[in-house]
Amino acid sequence: MKTSSIEPFFAALKAANPQPNTELEYTTVFELLTAVLLSAQATDVGVNKATRRLFPVANTPQAILGLGLEGLEGYIKTIGLYRSKARHLMETCRILVERHGGQVPRTREALEALPGVGRKTANVVLNVAFGQPTMAVDTHIFRVSNRTGLAPGKNPLAVEMQLLQRVPPAYAVDSHHWLILLGRYVCQARKPRCWECVAAPWCDYQPKTPRP
């Protein structure tokens, strides 16, 4: 994608969705961290179904610890890999209580030190909770960035670095949401719905998928 196309590409996405947000349901930073940790290799819809049961009962690190491992597993067993995720979440809660006063830390280093929290999860928390212009490259963003020519890369980190360089500052904070939603609903894996895409005029993908 030409540099001159990037600004109108994001302007079109912004015009269509001025205030994008994550589709994970949460009301606190800890709830967000929990939901993102549970969302690895799972859908946001599936995670939301589980957290709607979990959060009214336990939505703080201390309360999660109070459930015990088996208790926690009972609430999240509908999510893939729930046993390992439950262990990671319990250990994360213990660390938050013992080292951070029960609060979610605001730095990448401290977040990535939590069990089950990798670079992508840390990026989501830093962006959504703390407003930092980070890029959490999931499968949707990876596909969209390569397919459109916006930020080609052979792995998620390469794409992330490209995005950080190429996305104009005015769009940086919200850009990861626009790209995820674009990939989830329009620029889909099997066949992109180019005829529905507001940003198609600036995208390098050829040939564009015609209207069925």
Side-chain angles (χ1 to χ4, degrees):
M1 187 184 294
K2 296 177 181 176
T3 302
S4 60
S5 296
I6 296 176
E7 200 284 333
F9 176 88
F10 279 106
L13 295 175
K14 181 176 182 178
N17 186 2
Q19 294 182 305
N21 208 335
T22 177
E23 294 188 320
L24 291 170
E25 297 172 359
Y26 72 97
T27 57
T28 67
V29 179
F30 175 72
E31 286 186 359
L32 175 66
L33 173 64
T34 299
V36 179
L37 191 154
L38 295 176
S39 71
Q41 297 178 294
T43 65
D44 288 359
V45 171
V47 172
N48 289 339
K49 285 181 180 178
T51 57
R52 284 174 200 152
R53 296 190 299 269
L54 173 64
F55 289 159
V57 177
N59 70 338
T60 66
Q62 194 65 61
I64 296 278
L65 290 171
L67 289 177
L69 183 59
E70 287 189 12
L72 175 58
E73 287 179 351
Y75 284 100
I76 67 169
K77 62 185 178 182
T78 54
I79 300 175
L81 308 175
Y82 75 94
R83 286 194 171 91
S84 62
K85 290 176 181 178
R87 289 196 302 272
H88 286 152
L89 181 54
M90 291 293 285
E91 185 64 11
T92 283
C93 289
R94 186 185 64 77
I95 292 172
L96 291 177
V97 169
E98 292 179 358
R99 303 182 193 172
H100 301 286
Q103 301 299 306
V104 176
R106 303 174 72 100
T107 67
R108 176 185 301 283
E109 182 181 28
L111 285 167
E112 290 189 16
L114 299 171
V117 178
R119 184 177 184 88
K120 185 174 74 174
T121 298
N123 278 338
V124 173
V125 174
L126 291 170
N127 176 265
V128 176
F130 302 129
Q132 296 188 26
T134 56
M135 293 290 176
V137 178
D138 69 351
T139 182
H140 299 299
I141 293 184
F142 185 79
R143 178 175 65 258
V144 169
S145 297
N146 277 284
R147 182 184 276 164
T148 63
L150 171 64
K154 292 184 177 180
N155 56 61
L157 183 59
V159 168
E160 179 184 337
M161 294 300 108
Q162 279 265 73
L163 287 170
L164 291 173
Q165 289 183 348
R166 302 201 81 198
V167 176
Y171 303 103
V173 171
D174 289 328
S175 59
H176 122 264
H177 292 307
W178 286 317
L179 294 174
I180 284 177
L181 294 171
L182 183 64
R184 185 173 288 163
Y185 297 112
V186 181
C187 196
Q188 296 174 337
R190 290 189 177 181
K191 182 183 287 187
R193 304 172 66 85
C194 300
W195 69 94
E196 292 183 355
C197 183
V198 297
W202 300 279
C203 161
D204 286 353
Y205 179 71
Q206 295 294 340
K208 298 287 194 289
T209 310
R211 182 183 296 273

